[in-house]
């Protein structure tokens, strides 16, 4: 999950892989890759189904953001927003009302971020570089991996420019998502699991 400057100066959160605004989208929605989609990144076509590597914890569940730490304005400026845009977008970015739903089976993830517009994404950890896109349709390439019990996602644009590195891990009963820009700004989102009533 990583932030991308969106339309009209707003900031969206993208989870890493084939963004879909359809809240009912499933993993199968994102599984039709073509050689041309890889060729645009100068990559050989590699099926997503090749064996994944590593193993990690299970993030499955519904998670509510309860805290956002870090210099949000600087972070958003590092992502390309002008200072005024970053200041205006900071409050929305720090909004604690959004919920993230994660379905995980082994190394396969489907993640839905529920904000003003729901964004559903899917990826497989350890399957190598995978094509993706941000909320405004710009092409991305992501490489999700396990580092011990931490899910790390390295995200670059089509030209190879680094967008961000994210680290997702469990800390006690909470889930933590750290996102770091190429300039070194880091935002930490803290989530609590929503228990079924």
């Amino acid at each position: 999950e990583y932030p991308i400057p969106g339309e009209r100066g707003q900031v969206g959160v993208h989870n890493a892989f084939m963004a879909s605004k359809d809240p009912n989208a499933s993993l199968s929605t994102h599984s039709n890759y073509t050689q041309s989609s890889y060729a645009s990144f100068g990559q050989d076509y590699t099926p997503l189904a090749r064996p994944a590597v590593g193993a990690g914890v299970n993030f499955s569940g519904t998670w509510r953001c309860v805290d956002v730490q870090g210099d949000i304005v600087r972070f958003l400026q590092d992502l390309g927003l002008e200072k005024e845009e970053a200041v205006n977008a900071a409050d929305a970015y720090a909004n604690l009302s959004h919920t993230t739903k994660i379905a995980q089976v082994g190394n396969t993830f489907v993640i839905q971020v529920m904000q003003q517009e729901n964004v559903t994404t899917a990826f497989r950890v350890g399957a190598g570089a995978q094509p993706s896109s941000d909320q405004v349709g710009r092409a991305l390439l992501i490489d999700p991996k396990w580092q011990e019990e931490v899910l790390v996602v390295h995200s670059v644009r089509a030209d190879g420019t680094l967008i961000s590195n994210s680290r997702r891990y469990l800390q006690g009963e909470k889930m933590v998502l750290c996102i770091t820009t190429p300039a070194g700004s880091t935002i930490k989102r803290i989530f609590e699991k929503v228990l079924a009533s």
Side-chain angles (χ1 to χ4, degrees):
E1 179 174 74
Y2 49 87
I4 300 297
E7 300 173 357
R8 301 183 185 86
Q10 297 300 308
V11 174
V13 177
H14 183 75
N15 290 293
F17 195 149
M18 300 301 290
S20 167
K21 293 183 180 179
D22 177 4
N24 299 313
S26 65
L27 181 61
S28 61
T29 306
H30 311 289
S31 60
N32 297 320
Y33 313 118
T34 64
Q35 189 165 356
S36 61
S37 67
Y38 282 85
S40 64
F41 292 98
Q43 303 289 320
D44 292 330
Y45 175 68
T46 306
L48 182 60
R50 81 180 181 190
V53 297
V57 297
N58 194 317
F59 294 102
S60 291
T62 299
W63 300 87
R64 181 175 57 87
C65 185
V66 295
D67 192 17
V68 180
Q69 302 172 2
D71 186 338
I72 297 173
V73 172
R74 179 183 168 197
F75 179 79
L76 296 177
Q77 285 181 277
D78 284 356
L79 291 174
L81 294 185
E82 296 296 329
K83 184 171 184 178
E84 184 176 346
E85 290 178 314
V87 169
N88 292 336
D91 286 343
Y93 191 80
N95 187 346
L96 300 181
S97 66
H98 91 265
T99 300
T100 297
K101 292 183 177 181
I102 301 177
Q104 177 188 352
V105 179
N107 289 301
T108 301
F109 283 74
V110 177
I111 301 178
Q112 182 181 46
V113 176
M114 303 174 70
Q115 291 183 301
Q116 291 180 343
E117 291 188 16
N118 293 343
V119 178
T120 300
T121 60
F123 59 87
R124 174 170 278 182
V125 182
Q130 301 165 38
S132 184
S133 61
D134 66 21
Q135 286 182 304
V136 294
R138 290 171 295 199
L140 306 175
L141 191 67
I142 59 104
D143 188 6
K145 295 180 179 178
W146 290 114
Q147 288 183 357
E148 300 294 334
E149 295 185 337
V150 178
L151 175 60
V152 177
V153 179
H154 178 76
S155 308
V156 299
R157 297 207 183 281
D159 64 2
T161 303
L162 177 65
I163 299 170
S164 67
N165 288 305
S166 69
R167 296 171 54 82
R168 185 186 303 267
Y169 55 93
L170 297 178
Q171 189 170 63
E173 298 295 316
K174 297 181 179 179
M175 179 176 71
V176 180
L177 175 65
C178 294
I179 307 165
T180 302
T181 68
S185 295
T186 298
I187 290 295
K188 182 184 288 188
R189 286 182 174 271
I190 312 295
F191 296 82
E192 288 183 350
K193 202 164 196 176
V194 178
L195 301 178
S197 56

